[in-house]
Amino acid sequence: MDIDKAFYRSLMKNLFADPCEVKFWDGEVINYGQGMPQFRIDFNEPIAKAELINDPSLAFGEGYMFKKIDIVGSVQKVIESLYKNQDSFLHQNNSYDKFFKILSSSIQKSKENIQFHYDLGNDFYSLWLDETMTYSCAYFKSHEDSLLQAQKNKVAHILRKLNLHPGQTLLDIGCGWGELILTAAKTYQVKALGITLSSEQYYKTAERIKNEGLQELAEVQLIDYRELKGRTFDRVVSVGMVEHVGKDQLKAYFSAVKSLLNEAGVSLLHCITGYEESGTNSWINKYIFPGGYIPSVQELVSLMAVNKFYLIDLESLREHYTRTLEHWAQNFENALSIIMKMKDETFIRMWRLYLNSCAASFHCGNIDLHQFLFTKGVNNTLPLTRTYMHS
């Protein structure tokens, strides 16, 4: 037996929480664990041992992207099985720390990072997002809700939490393709500004505002939140954006919200969270979201307190994001015949792994999704109970 094979046989012994089958590059098949295999890992060629030991996330991710590894069965199930096995070397080896990279985010770097991901093209995203082009965690009121309905539920849920009144001003930091500001303008007659660093999102949102005749109530700007000067708002919302600002810019983000918010104003922050301070998975940082950082719950609450924000409500939507990602992953597979004409196989495998591994991460509780509702100083005008937040 060669050294590579011996290393891999040992590695695979306790890597997964579920029974599985492993087919090696020489054709040998070994069953690991007790019971019926839940999936099969095919090694078409070995991955360098040094790469696996130094950064297993990057090594496995690239191994799958470049067809060194194939997965027979559910990709999400494989990743969940990795996460659930607390005895594996991933949870014991110091190399686990190298899953995470913490990087700085200047305004220019933020623009480059956002464009890297979001400017892949509206044609691409429209194939697997819902009709509103909402690219953040949805809100499922029932198991029967379609993705479209759940995304509309999410926007409505956020807008109810903000307790909007006609004539108020609303800022959406990282407005995506504009669904929230358009709904706020139409439903509550507030004056809504959306800002984004993605030119694809900017042009699409501007087009939607014009097509719906909402120029008097809604506007969009291609600008960084740190560049917005001379305006304040009654409400500030940010959905799925703060994960992109970087650890070193979190203080600046909350400071900016404080200066942009009127006294007694209300803000809602909807973001991916962790229970420990960490960067993003190094494979995701390299290929999907460069410069990302997942803040911990305590980190965010601490920064709110420092800025004298009053925390009104905190809600976890973790399993809503699992379900959202499962919808996206299924839509992605359903659109494969079209995507194959636009993107190469490496890209397709990269995105399949991204969507499924994120679903696994939320389902296993490695990461969470929270909505924080807070006010600038004291606000005694909000309803006494939370019933106004739910229709």
mmCIF file of all heavy atoms in Angstrom, residues 165-189:
data_model
loop_
_atom_site.group_PDB
_atom_site.id
_atom_site.type_symbol
_atom_site.label_atom_id
_atom_site.label_comp_id
_atom_site.label_asym_id
_atom_site.label_seq_id
_atom_site.Cartn_x
_atom_site.Cartn_y
_atom_site.Cartn_z
ATOM 1 N N HIS A 165 -44.449 54.531 9.295
ATOM 2 C CA HIS A 165 -45.609 55.417 9.133
ATOM 3 C C HIS A 165 -45.418 56.254 7.877
ATOM 4 O O HIS A 165 -44.283 56.596 7.514
ATOM 5 C CB HIS A 165 -45.767 56.314 10.359
ATOM 6 C CG HIS A 165 -45.928 55.556 11.653
ATOM 7 N ND1 HIS A 165 -47.080 54.878 11.976
ATOM 8 C CD2 HIS A 165 -45.066 55.351 12.679
ATOM 9 C CE1 HIS A 165 -46.926 54.293 13.151
ATOM 10 N NE2 HIS A 165 -45.707 54.566 13.607
ATOM 11 N N PRO A 166 -46.527 56.594 7.181
ATOM 12 C CA PRO A 166 -46.420 57.387 5.948
ATOM 13 C C PRO A 166 -45.607 58.666 6.154
ATOM 14 O O PRO A 166 -45.716 59.324 7.204
ATOM 15 C CB PRO A 166 -47.879 57.714 5.620
ATOM 16 C CG PRO A 166 -48.660 56.598 6.229
ATOM 17 C CD PRO A 166 -47.925 56.236 7.489
ATOM 18 N N GLY A 167 -44.752 58.961 5.181
ATOM 19 C CA GLY A 167 -43.959 60.188 5.236
ATOM 20 C C GLY A 167 -42.608 60.023 5.902
ATOM 21 O O GLY A 167 -41.753 60.907 5.816
ATOM 22 N N GLN A 168 -42.393 58.879 6.582
ATOM 23 C CA GLN A 168 -41.092 58.661 7.208
ATOM 24 C C GLN A 168 -40.042 58.360 6.137
ATOM 25 O O GLN A 168 -40.364 58.036 4.997
ATOM 26 C CB GLN A 168 -41.165 57.504 8.210
ATOM 27 C CG GLN A 168 -41.892 57.857 9.503
ATOM 28 C CD GLN A 168 -41.879 56.708 10.497
ATOM 29 O OE1 GLN A 168 -41.894 55.533 10.118
ATOM 30 N NE2 GLN A 168 -41.887 57.043 11.784
ATOM 31 N N THR A 169 -38.778 58.474 6.542
ATOM 32 C CA THR A 169 -37.679 58.181 5.619
ATOM 33 C C THR A 169 -37.011 56.877 6.023
ATOM 34 O O THR A 169 -36.839 56.591 7.213
ATOM 35 C CB THR A 169 -36.642 59.319 5.635
ATOM 36 O OG1 THR A 169 -36.271 59.609 6.995
ATOM 37 C CG2 THR A 169 -37.209 60.564 4.983
ATOM 38 N N LEU A 170 -36.613 56.096 5.016
ATOM 39 C CA LEU A 170 -36.029 54.784 5.237
ATOM 40 C C LEU A 170 -34.781 54.635 4.387
ATOM 41 O O LEU A 170 -34.790 54.948 3.192
ATOM 42 C CB LEU A 170 -37.045 53.697 4.848
ATOM 43 C CG LEU A 170 -36.518 52.254 4.734
ATOM 44 C CD1 LEU A 170 -36.148 51.698 6.104
ATOM 45 C CD2 LEU A 170 -37.556 51.351 4.066
ATOM 46 N N LEU A 171 -33.704 54.149 4.999
ATOM 47 C CA LEU A 171 -32.469 53.835 4.276
ATOM 48 C C LEU A 171 -32.241 52.328 4.334
ATOM 49 O O LEU A 171 -32.274 51.734 5.408
ATOM 50 C CB LEU A 171 -31.271 54.555 4.918
ATOM 51 C CG LEU A 171 -29.874 54.127 4.401
ATOM 52 C CD1 LEU A 171 -29.686 54.515 2.932
ATOM 53 C CD2 LEU A 171 -28.765 54.731 5.264
ATOM 54 N N ASP A 172 -31.998 51.728 3.172
ATOM 55 C CA ASP A 172 -31.651 50.312 3.097
ATOM 56 C C ASP A 172 -30.193 50.209 2.653
ATOM 57 O O ASP A 172 -29.859 50.503 1.507
ATOM 58 C CB ASP A 172 -32.580 49.605 2.098
ATOM 59 C CG ASP A 172 -32.334 48.094 2.033
ATOM 60 O OD1 ASP A 172 -31.428 47.609 2.732
ATOM 61 O OD2 ASP A 172 -33.056 47.407 1.280
ATOM 62 N N ILE A 173 -29.330 49.794 3.584
ATOM 63 C CA ILE A 173 -27.897 49.664 3.302
ATOM 64 C C ILE A 173 -27.639 48.276 2.714
ATOM 65 O O ILE A 173 -27.800 47.273 3.398
ATOM 66 C CB ILE A 173 -27.057 49.852 4.583
ATOM 67 C CG1 ILE A 173 -27.309 51.225 5.200
ATOM 68 C CG2 ILE A 173 -25.576 49.671 4.281
ATOM 69 C CD1 ILE A 173 -26.603 51.450 6.537
ATOM 70 N N GLY A 174 -27.236 48.248 1.451
ATOM 71 C CA GLY A 174 -27.069 46.971 0.756
ATOM 72 C C GLY A 174 -28.416 46.474 0.280
ATOM 73 O O GLY A 174 -28.898 45.428 0.712
ATOM 74 N N CYS A 175 -29.030 47.227 -0.620
ATOM 75 C CA CYS A 175 -30.455 47.041 -0.948
ATOM 76 C C CYS A 175 -30.729 45.908 -1.933
ATOM 77 O O CYS A 175 -31.883 45.658 -2.276
ATOM 78 C CB CYS A 175 -31.042 48.343 -1.490
ATOM 79 S SG CYS A 175 -30.326 48.863 -3.074
ATOM 80 N N GLY A 176 -29.681 45.233 -2.401
ATOM 81 C CA GLY A 176 -29.910 44.144 -3.346
ATOM 82 C C GLY A 176 -30.578 44.650 -4.614
ATOM 83 O O GLY A 176 -30.215 45.696 -5.155
ATOM 84 N N TRP A 177 -31.591 43.908 -5.058
ATOM 85 C CA TRP A 177 -32.299 44.288 -6.286
ATOM 86 C C TRP A 177 -33.561 45.102 -5.997
ATOM 87 O O TRP A 177 -34.431 45.220 -6.839
ATOM 88 C CB TRP A 177 -32.616 43.040 -7.105
ATOM 89 C CG TRP A 177 -31.413 42.494 -7.834
ATOM 90 C CD1 TRP A 177 -30.969 42.870 -9.070
ATOM 91 C CD2 TRP A 177 -30.498 41.498 -7.389
ATOM 92 N NE1 TRP A 177 -29.835 42.163 -9.419
ATOM 93 C CE2 TRP A 177 -29.521 41.304 -8.403
ATOM 94 C CE3 TRP A 177 -30.389 40.721 -6.229
ATOM 95 C CZ2 TRP A 177 -28.473 40.393 -8.297
ATOM 96 C CZ3 TRP A 177 -29.345 39.817 -6.120
ATOM 97 C CH2 TRP A 177 -28.403 39.658 -7.143
ATOM 98 N N GLY A 178 -33.653 45.650 -4.766
ATOM 99 C CA GLY A 178 -34.634 46.688 -4.495
ATOM 100 C C GLY A 178 -35.991 46.277 -3.963
ATOM 101 O O GLY A 178 -36.856 47.128 -3.772
ATOM 102 N N GLU A 179 -36.206 44.997 -3.694
ATOM 103 C CA GLU A 179 -37.538 44.556 -3.286
ATOM 104 C C GLU A 179 -38.012 45.239 -2.005
ATOM 105 O O GLU A 179 -39.179 45.637 -1.896
ATOM 106 C CB GLU A 179 -37.548 43.038 -3.088
ATOM 107 C CG GLU A 179 -38.886 42.447 -2.679
ATOM 108 C CD GLU A 179 -39.973 42.534 -3.739
ATOM 109 O OE1 GLU A 179 -39.647 42.821 -4.919
ATOM 110 O OE2 GLU A 179 -41.151 42.304 -3.401
ATOM 111 N N LEU A 180 -37.128 45.430 -1.029
ATOM 112 C CA LEU A 180 -37.552 46.008 0.251
ATOM 113 C C LEU A 180 -37.948 47.473 0.113
ATOM 114 O O LEU A 180 -38.996 47.885 0.621
ATOM 115 C CB LEU A 180 -36.445 45.836 1.300
ATOM 116 C CG LEU A 180 -36.842 46.195 2.731
ATOM 117 C CD1 LEU A 180 -36.159 45.258 3.733
ATOM 118 C CD2 LEU A 180 -36.498 47.632 3.089
ATOM 119 N N ILE A 181 -37.138 48.260 -0.599
ATOM 120 C CA ILE A 181 -37.490 49.698 -0.697
ATOM 121 C C ILE A 181 -38.750 49.899 -1.550
ATOM 122 O O ILE A 181 -39.558 50.777 -1.259
ATOM 123 C CB ILE A 181 -36.318 50.571 -1.233
ATOM 124 C CG1 ILE A 181 -35.880 50.146 -2.640
ATOM 125 C CG2 ILE A 181 -35.160 50.566 -0.257
ATOM 126 C CD1 ILE A 181 -34.923 51.130 -3.300
ATOM 127 N N LEU A 182 -38.924 49.065 -2.562
ATOM 128 C CA LEU A 182 -40.131 49.169 -3.390
ATOM 129 C C LEU A 182 -41.376 48.813 -2.584
ATOM 130 O O LEU A 182 -42.395 49.514 -2.658
ATOM 131 C CB LEU A 182 -40.015 48.254 -4.610
ATOM 132 C CG LEU A 182 -38.992 48.661 -5.670
ATOM 133 C CD1 LEU A 182 -38.702 47.509 -6.617
ATOM 134 C CD2 LEU A 182 -39.491 49.862 -6.459
ATOM 135 N N THR A 183 -41.293 47.751 -1.800
ATOM 136 C CA THR A 183 -42.435 47.338 -0.972
ATOM 137 C C THR A 183 -42.734 48.375 0.101
ATOM 138 O O THR A 183 -43.902 48.684 0.373
ATOM 139 C CB THR A 183 -42.153 45.964 -0.322
ATOM 140 O OG1 THR A 183 -41.819 45.027 -1.344
ATOM 141 C CG2 THR A 183 -43.358 45.460 0.443
ATOM 142 N N ALA A 184 -41.691 48.919 0.722
ATOM 143 C CA ALA A 184 -41.881 49.944 1.757
ATOM 144 C C ALA A 184 -42.569 51.178 1.181
ATOM 145 O O ALA A 184 -43.485 51.742 1.789
ATOM 146 C CB ALA A 184 -40.531 50.324 2.356
ATOM 147 N N ALA A 185 -42.138 51.597 -0.003
ATOM 148 C CA ALA A 185 -42.727 52.774 -0.650
ATOM 149 C C ALA A 185 -44.196 52.529 -0.985
ATOM 150 O O ALA A 185 -45.059 53.377 -0.731
ATOM 151 C CB ALA A 185 -41.943 53.131 -1.908
ATOM 152 N N LYS A 186 -44.487 51.363 -1.548
ATOM 153 C CA LYS A 186 -45.864 51.068 -1.978
ATOM 154 C C LYS A 186 -46.798 50.815 -0.796
ATOM 155 O O LYS A 186 -47.934 51.277 -0.792
ATOM 156 C CB LYS A 186 -45.865 49.828 -2.896
ATOM 157 C CG LYS A 186 -45.345 50.088 -4.285
ATOM 158 C CD LYS A 186 -45.465 48.859 -5.177
ATOM 159 C CE LYS A 186 -44.457 47.799 -4.795
ATOM 160 N NZ LYS A 186 -44.377 46.700 -5.812
ATOM 161 N N THR A 187 -46.326 50.081 0.198
ATOM 162 C CA THR A 187 -47.198 49.643 1.291
ATOM 163 C C THR A 187 -47.352 50.693 2.381
ATOM 164 O O THR A 187 -48.433 50.849 2.958
ATOM 165 C CB THR A 187 -46.643 48.341 1.918
ATOM 166 O OG1 THR A 187 -46.428 47.381 0.871
ATOM 167 C CG2 THR A 187 -47.606 47.759 2.929
ATOM 168 N N TYR A 188 -46.260 51.427 2.660
ATOM 169 C CA TYR A 188 -46.278 52.355 3.792
ATOM 170 C C TYR A 188 -46.138 53.814 3.391
ATOM 171 O O TYR A 188 -46.152 54.694 4.256
ATOM 172 C CB TYR A 188 -45.153 51.986 4.779
ATOM 173 C CG TYR A 188 -45.369 50.651 5.449
ATOM 174 C CD1 TYR A 188 -44.797 49.492 4.933
ATOM 175 C CD2 TYR A 188 -46.144 50.540 6.604
ATOM 176 C CE1 TYR A 188 -44.982 48.255 5.544
ATOM 177 C CE2 TYR A 188 -46.339 49.313 7.229
ATOM 178 C CZ TYR A 188 -45.762 48.176 6.687
ATOM 179 O OH TYR A 188 -45.955 46.966 7.297
ATOM 180 N N GLN A 189 -45.963 54.089 2.107
ATOM 181 C CA GLN A 189 -45.790 55.469 1.607
ATOM 182 C C GLN A 189 -44.659 56.201 2.338
ATOM 183 O O GLN A 189 -44.786 57.365 2.726
ATOM 184 C CB GLN A 189 -47.103 56.271 1.731
ATOM 185 C CG GLN A 189 -48.183 55.855 0.751
ATOM 186 C CD GLN A 189 -48.833 54.533 1.146
ATOM 187 O OE1 GLN A 189 -49.312 54.388 2.275
ATOM 188 N NE2 GLN A 189 -48.831 53.566 0.251
#
